[in-house]
Amino acid sequence: MIIAIDGPAAAGKGTLAKRLAVKLNFAYLDTGSLYRAVGLQMLRAGLDPSDALAAEAISSELDSSLFTDPDLRLETTASAASQVASIASVRVNLLNFQRNFAGKPPESKAGAVLDGRDIGTVVCPDASVKLYVTASAAVRARRRYDEIIARGDSAEYADVLADVEARDARDMGRIDAPLKPAEDAHLLDTSELDIDAVFSRVLAIIADQHLENSNDA
Ligand code: DC
């Protein structure tokens, strides 16, 4: 069973996906970390994240040690990730990794939860459950700003909002695999819902879907 969770930056996908994976004992893949790893490696090598040839080469030999690097979470890395993500050859290089994970989850788990931008539309179009999690840009920027302050770093809310909006525009506007809900995705606006409310809604959706699938069988 594959659960696909897509949506814009800071909508709460990651928290939801991790919690679901624990509850269902499924494997979890944060696909954004793959794009972040490519972006971070480009920055560290002093390369421009829009350099398509360099990004293609780096993404063809992904350095998995970067997946746990604390710098993966920096806003500068997020922005570089969003830039390399619009390069078609980078997306092709990362596609196999994601499909293999979904098709054969590690530790022989019975299913996988993947979160990203194009999981329901491109990576796993046959996923059993597709969720599109969103919230207004103002709410998402506020959450991201609170996270930054909570970990002791400093930021201006207006700058965080501008970053969120720039990333939305790039992720939704790119030609290849743009961020959009799959036709059969369940839409969840978390602007006014807390994580517990979102989680119970999603469990109900999964239970319904499971029932539908067993009735079809
Ligand atoms: O989810 P995130 O913020 O870690 O993602 C970082 C960037 O990676 C995001 O702005 C766009 C890109 N991305 C993508 O294009 N496709 C995915 N499936 C996941 C992330």
Side-chain angles (χ1 to χ4, degrees):
M1 182 178 189
I2 297 170
I3 301 181
I5 308 183
D6 291 303
K13 305 181 300 286
T15 314
L16 172 64
K18 272 183 229 148
R19 202 158 155 184
L20 271 180
V22 169
K23 171 90 181 169
L24 304 169
N25 194 24
F26 283 5
Y28 166 55
L29 181 64
D30 161 15
T31 65
S33 65
L34 307 179
Y35 292 91
R36 284 173 183 257
V38 177
L40 182 57
Q41 217 175 322
M42 297 281 289
L43 292 178
R44 285 189 174 159
L47 296 162
D48 176 349
S50 63
D51 179 340
L53 282 181
E56 179 180 357
I58 284 181
S59 60
S60 68
E61 285 180 41
L62 205 56
D63 177 359
S64 59
S65 72
L66 291 175
F67 296 163
T68 50
D69 192 305
D71 286 356
L72 213 60
R73 296 290 127 210
L74 294 175
E75 292 307 305
T76 46
T77 306
S79 173
S82 173
Q83 289 179 67
V84 298
S86 66
I87 301 167
S89 55
V90 169
R91 303 202 72 84
V92 170
N93 285 343
L94 300 186
L95 192 59
N96 271 349
F97 183 98
Q98 298 171 77
R99 286 205 175 135
N100 287 341
F101 185 99
K104 223 170 165 229
E107 298 172 41
S108 311
K109 301 257 185 190
V113 183
L114 283 81
D115 79 41
R117 302 291 186 288
D118 61 339
I119 310 302
T121 51
V122 175
V123 179
C124 303
D126 297 329
S128 333
V129 177
K130 297 181 188 177
L131 306 168
Y132 189 84
V133 181
T134 187
S136 70
V139 166
R140 289 184 285 120
R142 171 61 58 189
R143 287 182 191 150
R144 188 47 55 87
Y145 172 82
D146 289 346
E147 272 169 27
I148 297 171
I149 300 302
R151 64 170 185 252
D153 292 335
S154 61
E156 290 293 332
Y157 171 77
D159 295 340
V160 178
L161 178 61
D163 276 353
V164 163
E165 287 176 341
R167 208 129 76 85
D168 281 0
R170 208 165 23 228
D171 294 349
M172 291 174 188
R174 68 177 176 232
I175 295 169
D176 205 19
L179 168 65
K180 62 173 181 195
E183 275 175 19
D184 49 350
H186 297 269
L187 304 185
L188 282 161
D189 188 327
T190 69
S191 302
E192 286 170 21
L193 291 176
D194 67 15
I195 178 67
D196 289 332
V198 174
F199 192 61
S200 6
R201 248 180 228 197
V202 169
L203 289 182
I205 291 171
I206 294 173
D208 276 356
Q209 192 74 46
H210 195 63
L211 205 65
E212 227 172 82
N213 293 350
S214 7
N215 287 341
D216 286 351

